[in-house]
Amino acid sequence: MRMIIQVMLVGSLLALMAYARLGEEVHEILGTSMLLFMFVHLWHNKTCLANIFHGKSPRARIFHSICALLLILILCLQGISGIVVSKHLFAFMQIPGSAFARAIHLCLAYWCFVLIAIHMGLKATRFIKLLTTYFRERMYLVILIYLSIAFYGFLVFTRSDILDYMLLNKAFMSYNSDEPMIVFFLEHIALGIFFITFGMIINKMSKYLSSK
Amino acid sequence: MQRRTFLCTLGVSCLSLCVPQITFAASKALVVYFSKTGEQYGVGVISKGNTAIVAEMIAKKTSADLSEITRVDDTYPKTYQALCDVAKDELTKKVRPKYSMSITDLSGYQTIFIGAPVWWGDWPMVMYSFFEQANLAGKMLIPFCTHEGSGLSEFDKKLAKACPKSRVGQGLAIVGRDAQKHSAKVDTALDGWLKKLAAQGVVF
Ligand SMILES: Cc1cc2nc3c(=O)[nH]c(=O)nc-3n(C[C@H](O)[C@H](O)[C@H](O)COP(=O)(O)O)c2cc1C
């Protein structure tokens, strides 16, 4: 059940990024369900959450905690700004401030994407262990493939406008893209993998620092 | 010798008969646009709308007539933030505001350039009033827009859907602040676009 929710979260995130392609109604439904998935995910990890400020070695977990808290905050803000800019599900509410909400929603969307990837990277230890026992000697191959995908993700990042969106330099979504949907998703997966690497590095570093 | 002169005269007179007909066939085009002054995104308070600037440039380049679409009882707010709320409200309710324009008889125009700012990823609702109420059947419609990042936002497809009896040509998107501040850039973009349209057989 935990896994299913996690997969749903990642899946809906990817689909949400494809806003311009999947259409506004789909985006609004996906956004609402992703928020619900997040609450279920939080429920599953409630013990972790309750121990955020105490428990063993909080220093090692400080990045985990910051990242998780930021994500909760941002996702809630995405929910609120999403309701304000909604043209379909929540349009009847007619909440003013749509210009501001639109700028925030677009900017935070990319922060959200990056933070979720980092969050996944931070939590990837168990997954990496699993891979190591499964692939053993051929682990170098896995690492090689992983690194090439991450590098491709980096290239996608450099030629996209993501940084402009994150720094509020670009306030409107582009609706024009001729690349096929599958390319869009593969590129965003690569992009995610690029940021997951940051999470893994931060995790290693914080473990190293707190063990000193 | 005499026969040659005769043939020459025949040729020239044939040509001279044709030439005025060609000019006659190439009827004038029309540029129709909607544009807002006041506070706009990224350019501060402007006294001439971004789309208005582009529309005027197109009209000048193609020697077309120019006609602005305005909303009857223009109650649009003058600040960007407030205008966004009103525009979104109109969009979600699919309002069709009453419009007016200086040229009402469109029968003499075969090609009509139609321009507007992108509002919430769509044409402003007043443009749909024009699409649905003006007689545009059988005409060649060329959409253009000014925007701040969204691009053409499928203005061409949306226009074709609203005017199924017209033909829709290749559209052009211009960044709003370029219209205000970088006219040379807009100029080059327009030249390239008009050349392409001409090559595609659009008459203007
Ligand atoms: C209500 C409103 C909604 C807008 N929505 C968008 C949008 O979705 N995408 C975009 O790129 N620009 C958007 N803009 C920016 C305008 O398209 C841009 O500033 C345009 O050049 C304004 O042209 P005008 O001065 O002719 O009205 C919007 C502006 C307003 C006022």
Side-chain angles (χ1 to χ4, degrees), chain A residues 13-187:
Chain A
L13 175 70
L14 278 171
L16 281 164
M17 301 310 283
Y19 164 75
R21 290 137 202 280
L22 294 180
E24 287 157 354
E25 276 117 325
V26 175
H27 184 81
E28 291 185 15
I29 294 168
L30 278 170
T32 315
S33 35
M34 180 162 179
L35 216 62
L36 297 179
F37 292 146
M38 181 191 76
F39 286 120
V40 180
H41 182 66
L42 287 175
W43 179 253
H44 283 156
N45 296 290
K46 57 183 183 301
T47 31
C48 227
L49 212 62
N51 286 329
I52 249 182
F53 297 110
H54 20 254
K56 269 199 301 184
S57 58
R59 199 141 66 111
R61 286 186 288 117
I62 183 117
F63 289 108
H64 293 241
S65 310
I66 293 176
C67 190
L69 289 177
L70 266 178
L71 266 176
I72 297 173
L73 179 73
I74 289 183
L75 273 161
C76 288
L77 284 175
Q78 279 307 71
I80 297 168
S81 55
I83 289 172
V84 178
V85 291
S86 164
K87 289 186 208 162
H88 307 276
L89 294 190
F90 307 99
F92 67 92
M93 293 193 189
Q94 287 188 34
I95 306 169
S98 56
F100 181 63
R102 166 158 67 171
I104 290 289
H105 196 77
L106 191 56
C107 164
L108 288 187
Y110 287 95
W111 279 104
C112 200
F113 183 85
V114 171
L115 278 174
I116 286 180
I118 292 180
H119 176 73
M120 285 166 73
L122 284 168
K123 307 280 181 195
T125 332
R126 243 184 57 206
F127 185 63
I128 297 171
K129 268 199 191 123
L130 211 77
L131 282 179
T132 336
T133 45
Y134 190 76
F135 285 100
R136 267 168 279 173
E137 304 88 62
R138 267 175 293 159
M139 196 55 195
Y140 71 94
L141 205 69
V142 176
I143 294 175
L144 200 73
I145 293 171
Y146 176 88
L147 285 180
S148 1
I149 299 176
F151 181 69
Y152 182 65
F154 168 70
L155 293 182
V156 173
F157 179 69
T158 51
R159 68 177 155 76
S160 70
D161 300 327
I162 293 175
L163 206 59
D164 278 337
Y165 285 124
M166 289 175 79
L167 301 176
L168 271 172
N169 286 339
K170 215 171 164 216
F172 298 99
M173 187 74 203
S174 168
Y175 292 96
N176 298 79
S177 193
D178 347 286
E179 67 187 3
M181 193 96 106
I182 182 79
V183 176
F184 177 88
F185 283 118
L186 290 178
E187 286 197 346

Side-chain angles (χ1 to χ4, degrees), chain B residues 1-18:
Chain B
M1 190 67 187
Q2 250 185 356
R3 214 171 123 197
R4 197 187 272 172
T5 328
F6 171 72
L7 279 179
C8 265
T9 334
L10 193 72
V12 169
S13 48
C14 268
L15 261 180
S16 58
L17 265 177
C18 286

Side-chain angles (χ1 to χ4, degrees), chain B residues 15-28 203-204:
Chain B
L15 261 180
S16 58
L17 265 177
C18 286
V19 169
Q21 269 175 356
I22 290 168
T23 10
F24 186 64
S27 73
K28 233 175 168 166
V203 187
F204 50 80

Side-chain angles (χ1 to χ4, degrees), chain A residues 102 172-173 175, chain B residues 34-37 39-41 46 48-52 80 83-84 87 116-122 146-151 153 174-177 180:
Chain A
R102 166 158 67 171
F172 298 99
M173 187 74 203
Y175 292 96
Chain B
F34 172 76
S35 185
K36 290 294 294 173
T37 53
E39 187 197 3
Q40 286 297 338
Y41 187 84
I46 50 178
K48 185 179 258 186
N50 299 339
T51 316
Y80 169 70
L83 182 56
C84 272
V118 177
W119 278 9
W120 290 100
D122 206 337
T146 64
H147 67 102
E148 285 297 340
S150 293
S153 311
I174 297 281
V175 176
R177 68 185 84 188
Q180 294 288 338

